Amino acid sequence: MATRIRLKRYGSKHSAHYRVAVMDQKRPRDGRAIEEIGYYDPNTDPATIQIQQDRAQYWLSVGAQPSETVQKLFAKMGIAKPGKAVAEEPPAES
């Protein structure tokens, strides 16, 4: 089971906020999460970011891959280094 750390959308139209969730890669964006480890509200000034750092580091240590946006949030919080979140697969040789 490939595990991703990504945002799960909540709120209403023009007032979205997100939860940082650990999910199976094949689940829908707003589907059942394995664990919710944080909260992100881009509508406040400055944006509200709350992430349980110990749980984020645990999931990264067991191989969960953060999405690009979550990688940027982790970099702001000092949890992970900025950079590419998901390793690209090498091109298939024929």
Side-chain angles (χ1 to χ4, degrees):
M1 174 173 69
T3 308
R4 297 289 308 262
I5 304 173
R6 61 188 185 193
L7 297 178
K8 190 173 177 181
R9 190 182 193 278
Y10 282 86
S12 59
K13 189 174 181 181
H14 303 295
S15 181
H17 56 273
Y18 303 90
R19 292 183 184 169
V20 180
V22 180
M23 304 179 76
D24 182 358
Q25 186 173 7
K26 294 182 180 178
R27 290 271 178 191
R29 179 194 69 188
D30 297 334
R32 185 171 55 111
I34 297 170
E35 183 177 0
E36 292 178 349
I37 61 172
Y39 177 80
Y40 171 58
D41 186 356
N43 299 313
T44 59
D45 187 26
T48 303
I49 305 170
Q50 295 175 340
I51 297 175
Q52 298 174 16
Q53 293 190 9
D54 57 333
R55 297 306 300 163
Q57 289 173 342
Y58 166 75
W59 282 108
L60 291 173
S61 71
V62 295
Q65 293 291 314
S67 67
E68 284 186 36
T69 305
V70 171
Q71 179 71 25
K72 290 176 186 174
L73 294 176
F74 283 178
K76 281 186 180 179
M77 298 288 293
I79 297 170
K81 294 178 183 175
K84 196 166 243 179
V86 179
E88 293 181 15
E89 293 183 22
E93 295 181 21
S94 55

